Amino acid sequence: MDKTLGARVIHVPFFRWVLALGIVLMGCSAGLHMTLPDYPKIRRVDLTVLREEPDGQCAVRWTDPFDHREREGFYPCDAIRDPRLDASRYDPETGFGRAFGLVFAEGADRGELYSPVGVGESARARAELSDTLIAVSLPVTLIGLVGGNVRATARVSGVRPGVIRRARSLSQAAARVAQDYDRATKAVRESWAPLHSDRVDEELGRAPLSRLPWTVRLRSRELEKNGVRTVRDVLEAGASELGRLPGVGRRTADSAMAAGRRMREDLRKGVAVRFEADRRTPRTTALLIALRVLVEAGPGARETAETGRALAARLEPLLYTAAAASGYAQMLGAGPERRRCARAAVPQLRALLDEAERLGFTERFAQVSVDLLRGPDSDPTGLDAWVDFESRPAEYYRVLADVTGGMPSPDGCPPAC
């Protein structure tokens, strides 16, 4: 049952309460039944009514069915028995009547008369109430079960665990290839950064003061007298120390520092790291090993990684929305709005899966991830990387420029500074 309050839909578990009521009634019936006394085993016998008392008691005689001897006693006569069985009517000659009675069939009282009158009145009442409760609880429980199952069937419609599972697997593969590519490019940048910094410092150390603005060149003689001969010397000295030099001044020092920083930024954008076979160093070897991973993955690795990144970004929110459609328990536990959104997200996931299958994304993601996982451990000495570089240097410089943001050289050599 759904009640609408404004724009909000509140779910009322009607059949759940009906089922609970049926179970409670069934439990009450079982509880009453457990309070009933244990009835002894009894046996029916024929009674000869010797005389009847005004209070309804009858003096009777019966044959003990166990030791086969006759016994006498008092027994409440059946008030509704046939009048023809009364004393003096049943046997006019003897004046004895006839009745039926019960005797104990076990225990110390075996063969003695058993009279339920006055003993089981409350027990019979409890037994009748127990029977009434169980009779009512069965249809109530049935209504709760059938109605709840019908509603549950309607609620779990739209469950598509296969679609969710495939979409989650595709999202993981897409995110993984992007992460693998990022890891490979990060390794290249971390290996390239100190080499590039050294190249920038080297070029700054070769740059004379004549490359600075004219206001600095006017004081170049005073700077050179104090050991400041290159742009790197200017940057290492700093504005405070330059300003304290004789004949320089604070204004010239600030101008020299600003010009030196601009030149350093220009060199960072234009200077390139060179690979020279006769000058192999641990740093250049580490960079070549990192580059070889991307070179072996091919020029399409970057495009595949970006495709995976974009696809994972589209799949993740849809998977979150469609989470309730991953199983019957999840759909049953979700609210009406979550179920509606999950059913709406499943077709979108299926469309993305169909597109990915048509374009072969899954295979591409898996292959590129495998290629990118061939890291430094496959070539610890770097010998293979140097051999491969010498066979196709243009590819290495192209990948390096692509990762670091520089410009590749068309002839396979590093760009001039």
Side-chain angles (χ1 to χ4, degrees):
M1 183 181 296
D2 291 330
K3 292 182 179 180
T4 304
L5 297 178
R8 186 181 177 186
V9 179
I10 301 177
H11 172 68
V12 179
F14 173 76
F15 290 106
R16 193 179 304 169
W17 287 112
V18 172
L19 178 61
L21 176 61
I23 294 175
V24 169
L25 293 175
M26 196 176 298
C28 292
S29 174
L32 285 173
H33 184 75
M34 293 174 64
T35 64
L36 296 177
D38 294 332
Y39 291 100
K41 289 184 179 182
I42 55 178
R43 185 169 177 176
R44 180 177 172 177
V45 296
D46 292 331
L47 302 176
T48 298
V49 181
L50 303 178
R51 65 182 180 276
E52 299 184 24
E53 302 293 338
D55 61 358
Q57 293 290 323
C58 294
V60 297
R61 181 189 299 144
W62 74 98
T63 300
D64 191 323
F66 302 105
D67 57 12
H68 306 289
R69 64 185 178 88
E70 287 191 349
R71 305 177 69 171
E72 293 185 2
F74 285 91
Y75 194 79
C77 294
D78 190 354
I80 61 173
R81 78 180 193 273
D82 194 322
R84 291 175 296 179
L85 300 177
D86 292 347
S88 73
R89 292 186 183 184
Y90 176 75
D91 190 347
E93 293 183 2
T94 62
F96 297 156
R98 187 183 177 195
F100 300 98
L102 302 172
V103 297
F104 290 99
E106 62 181 2
D109 295 330
R110 190 175 70 166
E112 293 288 342
L113 290 173
Y114 170 77
S115 176
V117 177
V119 177
E121 291 297 330
S122 62
R124 279 199 297 272
R126 292 197 300 273
E128 291 176 357
L129 180 57
S130 176
D131 294 341
T132 301
L133 290 176
I134 196 67
V136 173
S137 67
L138 288 176
V140 171
T141 303
L142 184 62
I143 291 173
L145 286 173
V146 173
N149 285 331
V150 170
R151 166 175 281 185
T153 302
R155 289 174 63 187
V156 300
S157 63
V159 173
R160 298 294 183 271
V163 173
I164 304 300
R165 186 168 53 252
R166 290 169 54 208
R168 187 174 290 118
S169 177
L170 178 62
S171 177
Q172 292 172 352
R176 188 182 304 114
V177 71
Q179 293 169 1
D180 292 340
Y181 183 80
D182 291 343
R183 189 182 302 111
T185 55
K186 181 181 178 181
V188 170
R189 293 191 186 96
E190 289 178 348
S191 300
W192 166 83
L195 288 172
H196 183 257
S197 179
D198 290 346
R199 287 283 293 118
V200 171
D201 287 344
E202 182 181 337
E203 293 300 322
L204 290 173
R206 294 175 181 174
L209 296 179
S210 58
R211 297 183 61 178
L212 296 177
W214 67 272
T215 55
V216 179
R217 292 198 299 268
L218 290 176
R219 300 289 187 272
S220 60
R221 183 171 299 178
E222 287 79 3
L223 291 171
E224 290 175 353
K225 288 180 181 179
N226 291 275
V228 180
R229 296 181 175 81
T230 64
V231 176
R232 183 174 63 186
D233 295 337
V234 170
L235 293 173
E236 290 177 350
S240 299
E241 185 175 343
L242 290 176
R244 289 194 295 267
L245 295 178
V248 177
R250 184 68 182 183
R251 183 175 180 180
T252 302
D254 291 339
S255 178
M257 285 297 301
R261 293 192 185 101
R262 285 195 299 269
M263 181 178 295
R264 183 171 57 190
E265 291 302 317
D266 293 340
L267 287 173
R268 283 176 177 173
K269 296 176 183 178
V271 75
V273 173
R274 295 183 176 90
F275 298 104
E276 300 176 8
D278 55 346
R279 295 180 58 186
R280 299 181 184 181
T281 65
R283 284 184 174 182
T284 55
T285 299
L287 178 56
L288 274 182
I289 293 174
L291 283 171
R292 190 185 180 195
V293 175
L294 293 173
V295 171
E296 291 289 343
R302 179 177 181 178
E303 180 183 355
T304 301
E306 293 303 323
T307 300
R309 198 188 315 277
L311 184 59
R314 295 174 63 187
L315 285 170
E316 282 304 315
L318 288 175
L319 282 170
Y320 176 80
T321 304
S326 61
Y328 294 102
Q330 289 80 356
M331 190 68 92
L332 283 171
E337 184 65 19
R338 290 278 295 174
R339 293 196 300 272
R340 185 188 65 80
C341 294
R343 294 189 186 101
V346 168
Q348 301 180 55
L349 287 175
R350 188 181 289 111
L352 288 176
L353 286 171
D354 293 341
E355 180 184 1
E357 183 176 358
R358 179 173 54 84
L359 298 176
F361 283 165
T362 304
E363 293 78 8
R364 286 170 54 189
F365 294 159
Q367 183 58 53
V368 172
S369 288
V370 170
D371 294 338
L372 292 173
L373 288 176
R374 298 169 183 166
D377 292 340
S378 61
D379 183 21
T381 63
L383 181 61
D384 293 339
W386 277 103
V387 172
D388 190 57
F389 165 74
E390 292 175 358
S391 66
R392 45 176 176 174
E395 283 297 306
Y396 279 79
Y397 283 119
R398 180 192 63 78
V399 171
L400 180 61
D402 187 45
V403 172
T404 61
M407 297 294 294
S409 176
D411 57 358
C413 297
C417 300

